[in-house]
Amino acid sequence: MSAAGSLLIVAPVAAALLLVHATRPAKETVAPLRLAAVRAALLTGSFAVLTVEVLGALRALTPVAFAAAWLLFLAVAAAAAAWRRRRDAVREEETVSAAPRGALVAAAPRLAGETHAGPVPAASAATTGTPAPRRHASGWRTRLAERWRTASRGERLLAGTTAGLLLAELVVALLAEPNNFDSQTYHLPKVERWVAQADLDFWATAIHRQVTIPPGAEYLLLHLRLLTGGDRLHNLVQWAAGVGCLLVAARIVAQLGGGRRAQLLTAFVLATTPMVALQATSTQTDLVVAAWVGCAATLVLDELRRRTGLGTLLGLGAAAGLTAVTKTNGLIAVGPLLVLWGLAQLRLARAGSAMADGSDAAGERGAAGAGRPGGADGRGGARGEPGAGGAGPRIARTVGGAVLVVVVAAAVVGPFVARVTAEFGHPLGPPRLRESIPMERHDPLSVLVNAARIGHTAFDTPFAPLRHAAAEAIIRGAEAIGVDPQDREITFGREIFPEPSWYPDEDRVAFPLTGALALLGTAVALARPRRLAPPDVGALRAYAALVVLVVVLHTAMIKWQPWGNRLLLYVLTLAVPLAGLWLDALFRRRASTPTLAVPATPVAGRRSIAALAATVVLATSALAGVLAVSYGFPRRLVGAGSVFTASEWETRFLRRPQWADEFRWAAAAVRDSGARRIGLVEQNDNWEYPWWLLLRDADGRPPELLALRSVLPDRPPAEPSSVDAIVCTGPRTACVRLVPPGWRVEYRTYVGYALPPPG
């Protein structure tokens, strides 16, 4: 990393932190700092994506252009933070000068910086309309120290374990070179291609995923690549997304009525999930899309009991657009979330109209909403908007808000979709992509078999007899109802069910403990929501129903595949808050059981056993998370291939160590020949990224790599005779077929090269 890059990389981080301050909610709300972090993330992510699109259209994907864009964004964020600070100071002065002496005494804790970690009481500033006073600079430190002081031993253990895992993952993310299989094939080659051509135009390639898969996460990597000149910080995108998932999941718990322990339990369960721990040090994209889905979910929950303002409408649109441009499977959740938001807004519009007409029933509904966070209208009161007219204008406003959400989302994802449509005649890309991952059969029995196989892979354990028995039952059951369990229309590619997935590998590791807790929490939230003691049972039940709907839609739309567990990370992010609520309720009920002074009942005994079992599960979950970070594959802290002992190229090729010498051997021969125009011969799943690293000039200038095979109909490959050298991966026969007559071909097992005759 260059010295200039080291300085410039501070700009995005500083801008995001300034935006957290600038976008803090003006009134008391649930977990305000986390809400500000969500807003800042959406603003920063949208800026990053739109910057790539605008500069790409101008053919200016260069370090200078990106540095200028981030410095400008930093200046705007600083100005916004300064303006917010001045406004808060004025409001604090007005509050202090207007409040009587008794109110000042009562407000002393708030002036010292205290705030609510859970739902806001009805008498808080959120329901009275009083502006929240400005926190002093040391307020967050005071609050943190106070919360640690008042935390129980168990809460400290939960927080310490979660923080320790995040720190260990950060170490791995910083020390390990990118070595994910898909990243070698298409995630990182597309970033290098954009840098080489300085725009986003499609190119001839044998790997269609380089141009057809949504590039939102790679857009973020492009910023790091241009600012730093390399890939040293690439893993931090997923690490930051993992932190974001924990924050939004904990905030969702608070919105549903969970206190501090429930929020810590949620963060702990999600953080110790092996798939989350392993993906957090990767250049995959699943945590990024899960974070954007989580942002959409927490914003929607805020709006179930109040009318949505302009800022939140923009946030919802940004979350939807960032999800779509990152990975389309996230839309399976964002779509229902937006429908839930729309239905809630229409209900509020109709209720507000009835209030304006003086309806007694509406008044009762408004009074009922007064005890909920934010009231019924989102402005702190229980009333709607009297005098605003009938239902028509209110519904029109809701429809207009929905249109704005769609417009903002389209602004974020639209340019990429337009390029795909222009290239392939369809917004979802070529038939090869549309038929490989999405389900091609949707009859109930096929969906049932697909769901059973997905569940088997997600809940896999190291106990082979259990795995084999469950798989055999699914296969026999599918055949009994007339569905082929290996049907290509419900199975990805040529894969064969079952496939072991218990091993801590970032692409396929199962999550039986987290999944079981999420299932239990969802079931209780649907059947016995009052056991979880939320302030609003209706919101909890609606959220649980939405999680179930998302699971059903996922199994009805995505084919089974051996590495399908990572595609479920966005579902886990939504479902784990229900597990946290259930665990907290279980421990709370256990704490209320009789002591020795009062004889225990059978119910109390069952509660004790359930609490003990939950404690064992949590301990096992912690062990699984620690083992995933310590010994997971292909990045680990200890053992063979440790980030502390493995060299750069050993780390890059941990997936296929036998290929490392072959790539370096071929690249050295091509560099020694002085070739600049280099032809590529590869198949759809071959590694391309090593060529971009090994054939780069000493000053970092990327090589001119030209595909000699292309799967894009309107992008013909280069003529083999027009290049100075050829590098190949895959079968030797595929390479030799494209080499011009008279060229010398050298080949090993996976990698080869060809050079023209001397002179």
Side-chain angles (χ1 to χ4, degrees):
M1 185 191 305
S2 64
S6 301
L7 295 175
L8 285 173
I9 203 63
V10 176
V13 178
L17 293 176
L18 288 169
L19 287 175
V20 170
H21 176 76
T23 60
R24 287 181 298 112
K27 299 177 181 179
E28 294 287 351
T29 187
V30 176
L33 187 59
R34 275 169 274 172
L35 176 58
V38 167
R39 293 171 173 175
L42 292 173
L43 282 170
T44 306
S46 299
F47 169 79
V49 169
L50 293 176
T51 296
V52 172
E53 291 289 357
V54 171
L55 294 180
L58 298 175
R59 300 185 180 278
L61 298 181
T62 64
V64 173
F66 273 64
W70 277 111
L71 291 176
L72 177 61
F73 187 67
L74 177 60
V76 172
W83 175 81
R84 176 60 186 271
R85 185 179 183 85
R86 290 194 299 270
R87 190 182 72 167
D88 287 350
V90 171
R91 285 189 172 185
E92 181 181 352
E93 293 174 0
E94 292 175 349
T95 301
V96 171
S97 61
R101 181 178 180 83
L104 289 176
V105 174
R110 290 171 58 211
L111 292 173
E114 294 181 7
T115 187
H116 295 285
V120 183
S124 70
T127 56
T128 61
T130 304
R134 180 174 63 90
R135 274 75 176 172
H136 296 295
S138 61
W140 68 270
R141 292 190 293 269
T142 302
R143 295 195 299 274
L144 184 61
E146 177 65 17
R147 290 176 184 176
W148 184 259
R149 185 184 65 81
T150 59
S152 66
R153 183 179 301 175
E155 290 172 344
R156 292 181 180 182
L157 184 60
L158 292 171
T161 303
T162 302
L165 279 173
L166 291 177
L167 181 60
E169 291 161 9
L170 178 60
V171 170
V172 175
L174 288 172
L175 294 181
E177 286 76 20
N179 61 0
N180 172 264
F181 195 103
D182 285 348
S183 295
Q184 306 277 20
T185 301
Y186 69 95
H187 288 310
L188 300 186
K190 71 168 69 172
V191 174
E192 294 300 321
R193 182 69 66 175
W194 293 331
V195 173
Q197 62 189 32
D199 61 36
L200 299 175
D201 289 348
F202 289 165
W203 55 90
T205 177
I207 304 173
H208 76 87
R209 291 174 293 174
Q210 291 184 1
V211 296
T212 58
I213 299 293
E218 290 89 342
Y219 282 175
L220 304 182
L221 295 177
L222 176 62
H223 286 267
L224 295 178
R225 169 66 175 85
L226 288 172
L227 292 178
T228 66
D231 60 12
R232 171 57 65 186
L233 301 182
H234 279 9
N235 293 330
L236 292 186
V237 171
Q238 280 264 107
W239 182 83
V243 174
C245 288
L246 301 188
L247 292 177
V248 295
R251 184 168 193 267
I252 288 171
V253 172
Q255 291 171 290
L256 295 175
R260 180 169 61 189
R261 183 173 60 187
Q263 296 170 50
L264 288 173
L265 283 166
T266 296
F268 174 87
V269 170
L270 191 57
T272 55
T273 302
M275 179 63 78
V276 174
L278 291 169
Q279 287 259 333
T281 64
S282 170
T283 46
Q284 270 289 8
T285 62
D286 303 286
L287 278 178
V288 178
V289 72
W292 297 137
V293 170
C295 289
T298 195
L299 292 179
V300 167
L301 283 176
D302 274 341
E303 307 307 307
L304 295 184
R305 298 290 179 182
R306 67 187 185 191
R307 300 302 301 276
T308 303
L310 176 61
T312 303
L313 290 173
L314 296 176
L316 287 172
L322 289 169
T323 300
V325 81
T326 301
K327 205 159 193 171
T328 51
N329 66 323
L331 294 177
I332 297 174
V334 171
L337 281 167
L338 292 180
V339 170
L340 177 63
W341 166 80
L343 293 175
Q345 292 299 299
L346 288 174
R347 179 183 59 82
L348 291 171
R350 294 176 63 87
S353 176
M355 291 177 194
D357 292 338
S359 166
D360 292 337
E364 293 174 1
R365 285 194 296 269
R372 300 188 178 105
D377 65 348
R379 291 178 170 79
R383 300 181 183 276
E385 296 175 1
R394 294 173 177 278
I395 293 176
R397 174 186 166 187
T398 299
V399 173
V403 171
L404 179 60
V405 170
V406 173
V407 169
V408 173
V412 175
V413 71
F416 169 71
V417 173
R419 288 194 298 274
V420 170
T421 304
E423 188 74 28
F424 300 105
H426 195 286
L428 297 180
R432 182 176 185 176
L433 177 64
R434 302 198 304 270
E435 296 170 1
S436 60
I437 298 177
M439 286 274 285
E440 297 177 80
R441 292 180 56 180
H442 299 92
D443 56 284
L445 295 181
S446 295
V447 172
L448 178 63
V449 171
N450 192 53
R453 296 182 304 165
I454 290 175
H456 179 274
T457 303
F459 287 83
D460 191 19
T461 70
F463 302 106
L466 178 61
R467 178 192 314 123
H468 296 323
E472 186 66 19
I474 292 172
I475 292 173
R476 290 182 179 274
E479 293 172 345
I481 61 177
V483 177
D484 180 3
Q486 315 299 347
D487 187 351
R488 297 301 100 189
E489 293 186 333
I490 62 173
T491 305
F492 180 86
R494 300 178 181 178
E495 305 301 324
I496 301 296
F497 174 82
E499 185 74 25
S501 60
W502 64 268
Y503 184 77
D505 183 297
E506 66 171 356
D507 283 336
R508 62 180 65 195
V509 62
F511 37 82
L513 297 177
T514 305
L517 292 174
L519 283 179
L520 287 170
T522 303
V524 174
L526 287 173
R528 306 291 293 274
R530 296 195 181 278
R531 283 193 173 186
L532 306 185
D536 189 343
V537 171
L540 174 62
R541 184 170 276 167
Y543 184 81
L546 181 137
V547 170
V548 173
L549 175 62
V550 171
V551 173
V552 171
L553 290 175
H554 183 96
T555 57
M557 299 176 68
I558 305 295
K559 292 178 178 177
W560 174 85
Q561 50 190 283
W563 42 89
N565 287 342
R566 61 185 179 83
L567 302 181
L568 289 167
L569 276 180
Y570 76 99
V571 181
L572 276 184
T573 302
L574 295 181
V576 167
L578 299 175
L581 284 170
W582 174 72
L583 286 168
D584 179 61
L586 181 65
F587 291 129
R588 185 173 60 248
R589 290 163 66 85
R590 167 67 181 86
S592 65
T593 55
T595 62
L596 293 176
V598 181
T601 65
V603 173
R606 289 196 296 271
R607 290 175 183 171
S608 298
I609 294 174
L612 177 61
T615 303
V616 172
V617 169
L618 290 176
T620 307
S621 182
L623 178 62
V626 171
L627 289 177
V629 176
S630 301
Y631 295 98
F633 192 75
R635 292 166 303 281
R636 55 178 53 164
L637 282 173
V638 296
S642 165
V643 294
F644 296 114
T645 59
S647 67
E648 173 187 352
W649 287 100
E650 286 176 335
T651 302
R652 292 186 185 279
F653 284 88
L654 276 176
R655 282 285 186 194
R656 297 291 187 272
Q658 68 274 20
W659 294 350
D661 288 340
E662 296 191 17
F663 269 100
R664 299 173 75 178
W665 159 76
V670 171
R671 283 198 312 270
D672 291 343
S673 72
R676 283 302 306 166
R677 286 174 55 86
I678 302 167
L680 276 177
V681 179
E682 56 192 3
Q683 288 72 49
N684 186 57
D685 208 31
N686 290 170
W687 285 18
E688 180 181 313
Y689 186 57
W691 298 126
W692 290 98
L693 298 177
L694 292 167
L695 298 175
R696 187 182 297 175
D697 287 348
D699 60 0
R701 188 162 58 99
E704 186 178 1
L705 296 180
L706 304 171
L708 302 186
R709 297 179 65 247
S710 178
V711 294
L712 276 65
D714 297 329
R715 308 279 175 173
E719 288 293 332
S721 58
S722 69
V723 299
D724 304 326
I726 295 174
V727 291
C728 309
T729 52
R732 177 189 176 95
T733 54
C735 181
V736 172
R737 194 179 305 126
L738 292 172
V739 173
W743 283 40
R744 176 171 60 92
V745 179
E746 299 287 343
Y747 223 91
R748 292 190 177 178
T749 58
Y750 178 76
V751 177
Y753 68 90
L755 294 173

